Amino acid sequence: MSTRSSSNSQKYGPIMSMRFGFVPNIVASSPHAAEQFLKIHDLVFASRPNNRAAQFIAYDQRNLTFGKYGPYWRNMRKLCTLELLSTLKMNSFQAMRKQEVANFVAFINRAASSELLELILGVVRRMKELARIFDEFLERVINEHIQDSKEEKQNKDIVDTLMNIMQSGEAEFEFDRRHVKAILLDLLIASMDTSAAAIDWIF
């Protein structure tokens, strides 16, 4: 850990640089310094750094979590906010969410009574394998919805909505099957991560 020059410290307050493993980090511990990062120069720091995980798992940063800040990210966020996460849409998914919670509880019960196998792989190999597993799962989900779309469905879900957007060509940017999978991966991971954090805090 090292402290920046005294001139910067006098101007912005304590600013320190440190490393978390191989990742360099800057700690701004005064309101004025934080304002420089979060308000005045926020566009410089708005994007997550590119990494191998984003390349392999997140469809080369096509999702919201790892997407580079700019017109694409803003348009993708707008699309998700209006088409997937509006109050009307969320209310229409209520029965489906209830069923999925029941399915999840049943899955936990089965997993608790059986041994779970762990794969011991190198980091890059493990990321590629994880990306393959996610991709196969998402492809299966999409294909099931395409098959079901041949019949008239009364309640359309998020996957149906994204596929309609892709097929209509109404998006303001390139939007193909990879983008559908990237957004579905965002929603899947976000739902698992928030649930896991909530359970941790409960315990």
Side-chain angles (χ1 to χ4, degrees):
M1 183 184 300
S2 62
T3 305
R4 290 280 180 89
S5 65
S6 58
S7 61
N8 278 342
S9 295
Q10 291 172 0
K11 185 176 181 181
Y12 300 121
I15 299 178
M16 295 187 295
S17 61
M18 62 175 65
R19 284 184 174 272
F20 292 163
F22 294 105
V23 182
N25 291 270
I26 297 176
V27 179
S29 57
S30 74
H32 183 67
E35 183 182 32
Q36 299 296 312
F37 288 104
L38 301 176
K39 186 176 180 181
I40 297 175
H41 302 292
D42 62 321
L43 292 180
V44 178
F45 301 96
S47 297
R48 289 176 182 264
N50 192 11
N51 56 55
R52 303 297 287 276
Q55 178 184 350
F56 295 125
I57 299 174
Y59 299 93
D60 202 16
Q61 292 185 280
R62 284 181 172 83
N63 63 347
L64 281 175
T65 306
F66 290 102
K68 295 179 180 179
Y69 182 78
Y72 169 77
W73 186 89
R74 290 193 296 271
N75 283 320
M76 183 66 88
R77 183 186 63 174
K78 176 183 173 183
L79 182 147
C80 290
T81 302
L82 296 178
E83 301 292 341
L84 305 180
L85 303 176
S86 66
T87 302
L88 183 65
K89 281 287 184 182
M90 296 308 296
N91 288 339
S92 71
F93 302 147
Q94 186 172 2
M96 190 181 307
R97 294 203 311 270
K98 185 177 180 180
Q99 181 60 48
E100 288 303 321
V101 170
N103 293 343
F104 177 66
V105 172
F107 168 78
I108 294 296
N109 285 333
R110 291 195 302 271
S113 60
S114 63
E115 293 184 4
L116 301 173
L117 300 178
E118 293 186 3
L119 296 175
I120 304 176
L121 301 169
V123 175
V124 173
R125 286 181 60 196
R126 191 167 184 174
M127 286 190 296
K128 288 182 178 180
E129 178 66 11
L130 183 61
R132 183 189 64 79
I133 293 170
F134 274 130
D135 189 68
E136 288 180 356
F137 170 72
L138 295 172
E139 281 288 337
R140 190 163 65 249
V141 169
I142 291 173
N143 288 334
E144 287 174 359
H145 280 72
I146 291 174
Q147 190 67 29
D148 291 344
S149 67
K150 296 176 182 178
E151 305 173 3
E152 286 296 325
K153 293 175 64 176
Q154 189 171 6
N155 294 321
K156 294 188 180 294
D157 60 17
I158 286 177
V159 182
D160 295 317
T161 303
L162 286 170
M163 293 303 292
N164 287 340
I165 293 170
M166 183 189 79
Q167 292 164 357
S168 69
E170 293 176 356
E172 300 175 13
F173 50 91
E174 179 190 6
F175 195 85
D176 56 29
R177 200 176 175 103
R178 294 169 301 174
H179 298 82
V180 172
K181 291 187 286 187
I183 292 301
L184 291 177
L185 183 63
D186 264 342
L187 298 173
L188 178 65
I189 292 177
S191 64
M192 291 188 296
D193 185 62
T194 51
S195 299
I199 292 171
D200 281 343
W201 278 104
I202 290 171
F203 285 134

